[in-house]
């Protein structure tokens, strides 16, 4: 079989693969849930963290590849995601986070972000724009709290805009 023929076959295989095969957004690298005594334990899989993908409700499994558009919903459990390049997102208990490209839609709960590149987080009417930093966003729907650990973020809300630096809330 000639080189051109093999190249043509390889191209056909790539075209035939579903587009979702190339839509990896991140990975679930850590899951934890309380045991019967209330002590937090690392777990391989849990239904207390669900990945909502389209109409599917998938129990979270350590090592699960996340796709753009997935929603991570936690109950009495926590999850840590990696985006590659050392970037991580820690999702706390009772949280709801939808992931897209370099954007997250946080609907509920507390989430800690450690990011290196440009990223936008929307939580209710608040938008937080970052250029690589560490920060946490939490709230109860009515009140949104943004705390910067390292770097700077720009927070935009209906009442105005503010730039926050290290250890500001």
């Amino acid at each position: 079989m000639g080189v051109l023929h093999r190249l043509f076959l390889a191209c056909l295989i790539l075209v035939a693969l579903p587009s979702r095969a190339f839509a990896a957004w991140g990975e679930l690298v850590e899951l934890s849930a309380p045991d019967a005594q209330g002590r937090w334990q690392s777990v391989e899989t849990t239904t207390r963290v669900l990945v909502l993908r389209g109409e599917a409700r998938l129990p979270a499994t350590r090592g699960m590849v996340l796709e753009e558009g997935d929603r991570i919903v936690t109950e009495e459990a926590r999850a840590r995601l990696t985006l590659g390049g050392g970037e991580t997102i820690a999702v706390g208990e009772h949280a709801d986070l939808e992931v897209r490209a370099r954007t997250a839609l946080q609907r509920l709960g507390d989430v800690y972000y450690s990011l290196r590149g440009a990223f936008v987080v929307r939580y209710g009417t608040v938008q937080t724009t970052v250029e690589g930093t560490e920060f946490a966003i939490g709230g109860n729907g009515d009140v949104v709290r943004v705390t910067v650990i390292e770097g700077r973020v720009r927070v935009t809300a209906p009442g105005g805009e503010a730039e926050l630096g290290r250890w500001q809330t």
Side-chain angles (χ1 to χ4, degrees):
M1 185 182 299
V3 173
L4 287 176
H5 186 75
R6 279 185 272 191
L7 183 58
F8 177 74
L9 287 176
C11 288
L12 280 178
I13 291 169
L14 287 174
V15 169
L17 287 174
S19 62
R20 293 179 72 89
F22 296 103
W25 185 87
E27 180 182 350
L28 281 171
V29 293
E30 190 176 318
L31 298 168
S32 58
D35 64 14
Q37 288 77 36
R39 292 183 303 250
W40 286 91
Q41 303 290 321
S42 180
V43 295
E44 288 294 318
T45 187
T46 181
T47 57
R48 295 184 201 176
V49 177
L50 293 176
V51 176
L52 308 181
R53 183 174 291 156
E55 298 298 315
R57 299 173 58 85
L58 310 168
T61 303
R62 188 181 313 164
M64 178 182 235
V65 173
L66 298 172
E67 298 177 5
E68 187 174 333
D70 282 353
R71 267 176 78 184
I72 297 89
V73 179
T74 61
E75 292 175 3
E76 287 184 355
R78 301 173 184 154
R80 189 166 59 89
L81 327 172
T82 61
L83 284 68
E87 295 182 309
T88 61
I89 297 176
V91 183
E93 300 173 72
H94 307 289
D96 185 337
L97 181 74
E98 182 177 334
V99 296
R100 298 206 175 272
R102 297 295 296 172
T103 304
L105 173 58
Q106 186 175 332
R107 291 184 171 92
L108 187 65
D110 296 331
V111 178
Y112 177 84
Y113 300 84
S114 179
L115 305 166
R116 297 198 177 178
F119 201 90
V120 174
V121 179
R122 291 185 177 86
Y123 191 144
T125 60
V126 174
Q127 177 174 301
T128 304
T129 306
V130 301
E131 285 288 341
T133 190
E134 293 183 37
F135 63 102
I137 298 179
N140 61 14
D142 295 330
V143 176
V144 177
R145 181 184 63 260
V146 178
T147 303
V148 178
I149 288 66
E150 192 66 48
R152 301 192 78 68
V153 303
R154 179 171 309 281
V155 180
T156 306
E161 185 175 291
E163 190 167 304
L164 301 177
R166 185 175 191 198
W167 298 118
Q168 289 185 314
T169 299

